[in-house]
Structure formats: C-alpha cells, structure tokens
C-alpha cells in the first residue's frame, strides 16, 4: 500500500507532538540545502520540511529540485521559524520523480498569466491556479448543493443533438462522413441520410429545450454540463466550450425566475466565502498587485473579498430594457459621445453599454428585463405590448452578462406563430411543442455561464484562466 500519507492541509492544522507521519507532494522551493517547501495541492500553504543535511547523502540532496515529487517520513514538531506553526523533521526522503531544473519552466518566481496559459498543463502547480481551481471545484459542488436543498432534479441533457436551441447558428457539426468526399444526394447536396445519425447533428449550445421537457414532469430541474458555441469571439469572456447551469421551473413567472437566479448567485458566493477563505485571500492579493500595474481609471474600486461581500449583502438592481436605454441616453458618456456603438431603443446592447450600467451607474449587479423580441430566442414569452419578451439578463461588474433567461412561451398558438416568423421548422420540433399540447404550464428558466461565475468570484480577468484547458478560435491545445 502506498497511500498512507497525510494531506498537507491536514498536517498544517495538526498539533505537533513529534508524531511520525508520511507526506507526499511536489517541491516548490529548496533553501539552504535544508528547508523544503512541499505542496500537494490540498492548499496553497506549503509544508516546511527540515532536512538534516549533514547526515543526508549529497547525491540525494542534489535531486531535491523545484518540481520534483517526494515521499517523506518525518516527525511533526513545532516550528522554530516564523511563518508556520509546524515543521516536518525528515527521517527518510524518497524521490518519486525527478525534475530537471534546466528544463522545468516553473521556477520559483513570478510568471505572467499569458506565459502560464502556454504551459497550462503545469500551471495548476502555481498559487494563483491552485486557488482558482479549488474555488472552481467548490462552486461546482455548491451548485449541486443549492439545487439539491431545494428539491430540484439534476437532469442530464444530451451533448449531441439535432437542434439549435438558441437559433444563432453557431454550431459545431458532429459527423462521421468523410469530409473530403461526402456522399451526395441527386441534387448535389451532402446526403446526411448516410451520416451516423441519419441527419445533421451538432454539439449542444444549450440543454434548455430538453430541460423544459423534464420540467414538465419533475416541475423543477437543472442541467449542469458542457455546451459548445462556434462563435468567432476572441474576447476575455467567450469560450467555444464552456459549462452552463440551466435550471428550468414549472409554475414560475419572470419574477420567480429572477428571485431564484439572484438567490443562486448569492448562495454560490457565500459558499466560497465560507469554505475557501485562504484561496480568496490569495486571489484578493493577486488582484491588488495586478491593479498596481494599471492606470488609475482601470483599477477596481473594491478589493475582491470586499466586492463579494457587497454583492451578497445587497439587492440586485432590477430595471426594464426600456429604462436601461433611457439611462444610457441620459448618461454623460452618451452626451460626450463616449460610446462606440449607437444607443437607441431596439439595439442589442453592446458590452460598453452593459458595463456603463453596472460599473458606472448602479455599481452593482443589474437584472435587465423585457428586451425587444427581435434579437431574442423564439421560446421567450411574448409580452402584451407586441414588441418585447419576458427575458431577463443579469449583468455583473467586470463581467457583463452572467445569466440569460426568460419566462417561456407556454401558449401553443403564440409559440407556433413566432416559430413561423423566425423560419424554425415545426416538424423537427414536434417533441418540444408537445409540452405545450399536453398540460402546458407557465414556466421559466435561465442559464448561468459557469466560467463567468468563476471569473466573478476569483477576480480573474480572462476566461481562459478559469477553465483547465480553454478552447477558443484557433486554439485547442492539450
Ligand atoms: O444567454 P445564453 O445564450 O442563454 C441560453 O443559452 C439559454 N438557453 C439559457 C436558458 O434560459 N436556459 O447563455 C447563457 C449564459 C450567458 O449569460 C453567459 O453567462 C454564458 O451562458 N455564455 C458563455 N460563457 C462563455 N463563453 C461563451 N461563448 C458563452 N455564451 C454564453
Ligand atoms: Mg444571452
């Protein structure tokens, strides 16, 4: 048996009494041939291992290098040094894996996030990414806990589908046909009858439509899985593969939907504040350091933890799209022609507009409702004004849109006529329309972009730094 180790996190909270323990981990630094800072990923805090160098084979000492993996037996004693409570006095050191210092790129110094993205397979061994990915884990766990506490069913929507839920056409095709020589129909088109599924299929952009089917039986469900969008957006907020949480609830209207979304976001933040304090402190410090390198105007007004506390303790602002446009039209930014894109009722707000509302005007998360129907998806419930739909987006400081959702159109005739207007073939969607044919009910739901949530909680500016292996245009490494 190999795994008799105690995790560093547990060692650090143990009262030292000379007890004999085994630890395993990777060397972060080795100072004066005497002090090993050992890390096993359970916490950013390293265990200080004290080596009796006078009685240790010099050949072994030479192999204790940054990145090497070790198994250490030792006695846990009170530390004589400052900065830590305990030391492990090594009695036996075994090298599990060497790490050639000439070749190992993660030397104990500051590396830029851009550089670390190129060595994403190793970046988990840094303090920043250790903190980010432990928090990502905690958030995922809290997602399940939140919905489980409320009796929602975790529903697995498919990854491969034949539908485009959002109707935006940003699909990754799934096909086993020979791309160089696909079978053709008589009129020269690709013959998808001969493809694996007998029709065109793609990776899902959203589990919502299938989620709605489940909500019509279980009343409250959520999905949590990867989604895929072939949108050519090279920004700090977009991934081609991202994770989304999509709750869908029968017997909810738009207000119920907003209440759930707000409670959900606050719960996730509160969970991390309670369970990941050390990691948040690491990232709080990182953000302060990063801010120092920026011009005054671009610095964050609040520290990371301060911001999270503020969001948990304050009600989100709720305004309609029409009010949002009015605020923009009245704004000094508009009057001084600071916006690059036009502002008028009917525009799909650009990120500069969203940021103005959230960061300059309200200085807190804002829920915008009742958008013009023209740029929203076919399934959103039509309002009586004939112009808007019961949509809601939540905009967060520093992130922009973090949630998109709506009350759904539960009236069959209205839904069908909207699909006709938008040229969505009904025959391929009869399974979806069946929910409106048999026991339709008012219902609503939303999607929370998981990586944007992780960004918000960790303060990381680039979405590529909160998912282990980001997929973006022209980039699919690892
Ligand atoms: O607003 P979206 O497109 O909404 C939907 O997909 C609905 N079906 C959700 C629902 O009502 N069940 O996407 C929802 C959220 C966005 O607010 C954003 O946080 C995130 O998903 N998102 C992305 N995150 C990273 N990269 C991308 N390319 C994203 N596109 C959307
Ligand atoms: Mg959206």
């Amino acid at each position: 048996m190999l795994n008799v180790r105690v995790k560093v996190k547990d060692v650090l909270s143990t009262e030292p009494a000379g007890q004999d323990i085994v630890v395993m981990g990777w060397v972060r630094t080795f100072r004066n041939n005497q002090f090993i800072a050992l890390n096993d990923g359970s916490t950013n805090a390293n265990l200080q291992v004290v080596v009796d160098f006078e009685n240790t084979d010099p050949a072994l000492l030479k192999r204790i290098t940054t990145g090497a993996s070790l198994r250490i037996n030792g006695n846990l004693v009170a530390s004589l040094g400052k900065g830590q409570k305990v030391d492990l006095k090594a009695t036996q050191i075994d090298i599990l894996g060497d790490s050639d210092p000439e070749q190992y790129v993660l030397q104990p110094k500051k590396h830029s996030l851009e550089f670390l993205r190129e060595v994403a397979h190793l970046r988990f061994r840094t303090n920043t990414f250790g903190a980010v990915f432990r928090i990502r884990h905690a958030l995922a766990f809290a997602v399940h806990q939140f919905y489980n506490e409320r009796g929602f069913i975790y529903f697995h929507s498919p990854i491969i589908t034949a539908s485009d839920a959002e109707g935006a056409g940003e699909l990754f095709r799934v096909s086993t046909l020979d791309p160089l020589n696909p079978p053709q129909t008589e009129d020269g088109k690709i013959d998808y009858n001969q493809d694996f599924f007998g029709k065109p299929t793609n990776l899902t952009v959203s589990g919502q439509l299938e989620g709605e089917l489940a909500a019509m039986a279980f009343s409250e469900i959520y999905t949590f899985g990867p989604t895929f969008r072939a949108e050519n957006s090279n920004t700090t907020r977009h991934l081609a593969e991202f994770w989304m949480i999509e709750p869908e609830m029968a017997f909810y209207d738009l207000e119920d939907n907003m209440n759930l979304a707000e409670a959900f976001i606050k719960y996730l933040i509160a969970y991390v504040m309670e369970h990941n304090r050390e990691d948040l402190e690491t990232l709080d410090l990182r953000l302060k350091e990063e801010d120092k390198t920026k011009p005054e105007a671009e610095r964050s007004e609040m520290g990371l933890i301060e911001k999270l506390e503020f969001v948990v303790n304050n009600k989100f602002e709720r305004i309609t799209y029409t009010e949002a446009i009015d605020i923009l039209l009245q704004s000094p930014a508009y009057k001084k022609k600071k916006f690059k894109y036009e502002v008028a009722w009917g525009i799909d707000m650009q990120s500069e507009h969203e940021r103005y509302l959230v960061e300059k005007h309200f200085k807190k998360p804002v829920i915008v409702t009742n958008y013009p129907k023209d740029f929203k998806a076919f399934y959103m419930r039509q309002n009586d004004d004939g112009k808007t739909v019961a949509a809601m987006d939540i905009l967060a400081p520093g992130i922009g849109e973090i949630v998109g959702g709506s009350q759904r159109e539960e009236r069959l005739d209205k839904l069908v006529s909207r699909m006709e207007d938008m040229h969505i073939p009904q025959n391929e969607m009869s399974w979806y329309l069946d929910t409106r044919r048999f026991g339709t009910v008012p219902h609503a739901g939303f999607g929370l972009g998981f990586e944007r949530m992780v960004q918000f909680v960790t303060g990381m500016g680039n979405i590529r730094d909160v998912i282990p292996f980001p997929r973006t245009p022209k980039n699919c490494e690892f």
Side-chain angles (χ1 to χ4, degrees):
M1 195 171 79
L2 177 66
N3 193 14
V4 292
R5 74 182 174 116
V6 187
K7 289 193 183 185
V8 167
K9 186 178 185 195
D10 299 327
V11 175
L12 293 176
S13 60
T14 302
E15 272 311 312
Q19 58 271 58
D20 209 354
I21 61 167
V22 176
V23 296
M24 300 184 208
W26 293 267
V27 177
R28 282 285 173 90
T29 57
F30 185 35
R31 267 191 310 125
N32 301 345
N33 253 354
Q34 198 176 6
F35 302 108
I36 304 172
L38 193 80
N39 190 284
D40 68 357
S42 58
T43 162
N44 268 343
N46 301 319
L47 174 64
Q48 173 156 287
V49 178
V50 184
V51 182
D52 177 7
F53 63 100
E54 282 163 341
N55 297 305
T56 305
D57 178 3
L60 179 83
L61 290 175
K62 275 190 87 166
R63 291 173 64 198
I64 304 176
T65 55
T66 298
S69 51
L70 308 181
R71 176 191 201 278
I72 302 169
N73 280 56
N75 302 107
L76 198 62
V77 298
S79 179
L80 296 176
K82 278 184 262 165
Q84 67 273 327
K85 213 175 76 186
V86 298
D87 281 348
L88 187 69
K89 275 180 77 172
T91 50
Q92 169 74 31
I93 298 176
D94 297 306
I95 309 275
L96 297 176
D98 289 288
S99 173
D100 180 352
E102 298 292 310
Q103 293 190 34
Y104 186 58
V105 296
L106 289 187
Q107 288 307 315
K109 60 163 198 165
K110 236 183 152 37
H111 296 289
S112 74
L113 296 175
E114 289 77 15
F115 170 73
L116 291 172
R117 231 169 271 149
E118 287 168 21
V119 290
H121 57 302
L122 296 172
R123 65 180 176 169
F124 310 112
R125 298 188 190 184
T126 66
N127 282 344
T128 296
F129 288 95
V132 165
F133 287 105
R134 273 188 301 273
I135 288 177
R136 185 181 165 108
H137 157 78
L139 283 169
F141 182 81
V143 165
H144 290 296
Q145 185 164 288
F146 176 84
Y147 288 112
N148 192 52
E149 280 172 1
R150 283 160 186 74
F152 284 54
I153 298 290
Y154 178 28
F155 184 73
H156 294 106
S157 47
I159 304 287
I160 300 174
T161 124
S163 65
D164 178 3
E166 295 305 301
E170 295 159 338
L171 306 174
F172 284 105
R173 274 259 173 278
V174 173
S175 173
T176 53
L177 295 179
D178 177 358
L180 296 178
N181 187 21
Q184 296 190 350
T185 56
E186 276 171 10
D187 50 357
K189 297 202 175 109
I190 296 177
D191 184 6
Y192 285 106
N193 281 322
Q194 296 188 47
D195 204 347
F196 189 90
F197 295 106
K199 59 175 166 182
T201 50
N202 51 273
L203 296 177
T204 188
V205 296
S206 157
Q208 179 195 322
L209 302 189
E210 292 89 355
E212 283 187 61
L213 310 178
M216 293 302 118
F218 299 107
S219 60
E220 293 175 325
I221 66 97
Y222 69 106
T223 70
F224 184 6
T227 49
F228 307 86
R229 295 191 188 179
E231 65 188 317
N232 202 0
S233 307
N234 239 318
T235 79
T236 55
R237 309 277 176 261
H238 287 88
L239 292 166
E241 175 180 298
F242 64 100
W243 288 63
M244 186 157 49
I245 299 118
E246 295 187 277
E248 192 68 34
M249 300 75 64
F251 321 115
Y252 272 51
D253 65 12
L254 188 64
E255 192 183 353
D256 299 317
N257 202 26
M258 288 191 271
N259 292 344
L260 183 76
E262 183 171 340
F264 178 41
I265 290 175
K266 288 178 170 171
Y267 183 99
L268 295 182
I269 296 173
Y271 184 92
V272 169
M273 292 215 295
E274 187 184 337
H275 294 89
N276 298 73
R277 198 74 202 185
E278 263 178 31
D279 288 329
L280 279 180
E281 279 162 10
T282 300
L283 294 169
D284 194 315
L285 217 66
R286 189 204 73 84
L287 198 62
K288 287 198 176 95
E289 293 292 316
E290 189 182 76
D291 266 3
K292 282 187 200 154
T293 68
K294 288 185 181 169
E296 193 91 39
E298 285 169 36
R299 295 183 194 167
S300 335
E301 282 183 25
M302 290 185 198
L304 179 64
I305 295 177
E306 197 186 355
K307 173 191 82 175
L308 296 176
E309 270 163 6
F310 177 83
V311 169
V312 169
N313 293 324
N314 285 279
K315 263 194 87 58
F316 294 6
E317 198 67 38
R318 297 184 184 192
I319 57 169
T320 64
Y321 168 88
T322 303
E323 287 165 342
I325 295 295
D326 283 344
I327 291 169
L328 293 174
L329 289 172
Q330 300 300 324
S331 68
Y334 178 76
K335 289 179 179 156
K336 289 186 199 146
K337 298 197 177 6
K338 290 265 171 70
F339 292 129
K340 198 167 139 215
Y341 295 90
E342 71 151 334
V343 182
W345 199 95
I347 59 156
D348 193 357
M349 278 190 275
Q350 298 292 319
S351 99
E352 58 175 355
H353 305 135
E354 298 180 339
R355 295 190 79 139
Y356 179 84
L357 288 172
V358 172
E359 286 157 28
K360 294 267 164 2
H361 191 82
F362 289 111
K363 298 182 191 280
K364 58 159 128 163
V366 178
I367 312 184
V368 183
T369 57
N370 299 314
Y371 283 81
K373 65 176 186 211
D374 293 344
F375 53 81
K376 288 291 187 186
F378 74 96
Y379 50 70
M380 296 191 179
R381 194 174 196 278
Q382 295 157 54
N383 289 330
D384 293 340
D385 62 11
K387 293 191 301 190
T388 60
V389 286
M392 63 120 181
D393 277 4
I394 302 186
L395 313 177
I399 305 288
E401 181 190 332
I402 195 164
V403 160
S406 72
Q407 188 172 338
R408 315 306 188 193
E409 183 54 82
E410 85 282 12
R411 298 161 296 186
L412 182 65
D413 54 333
K414 297 254 183 201
L415 183 59
V416 166
S417 81
R418 188 79 190 121
M419 287 169 74
E420 276 166 4
D421 289 351
M422 296 174 79
H423 309 290
I424 298 169
Q426 281 172 56
N427 55 348
E428 288 168 23
M429 299 286 285
S430 65
W431 49 273
Y432 183 69
L433 293 171
D434 268 0
T435 54
R436 275 65 169 176
R437 292 194 184 104
F438 309 115
T440 192
V441 293
H443 65 287
F446 62 84
L448 172 75
F450 188 57
E451 283 74 22
R452 293 194 188 170
M453 187 68 204
V454 182
Q455 269 191 288
F456 187 70
V457 172
T458 59
M460 299 299 284
N462 194 317
I463 200 164
R464 293 168 177 82
D465 295 333
V466 299
I467 188 164
F469 303 108
R471 272 78 181 95
T472 50
K474 301 279 178 289
N475 168 41
C476 193
E477 292 302 312
F478 309 105

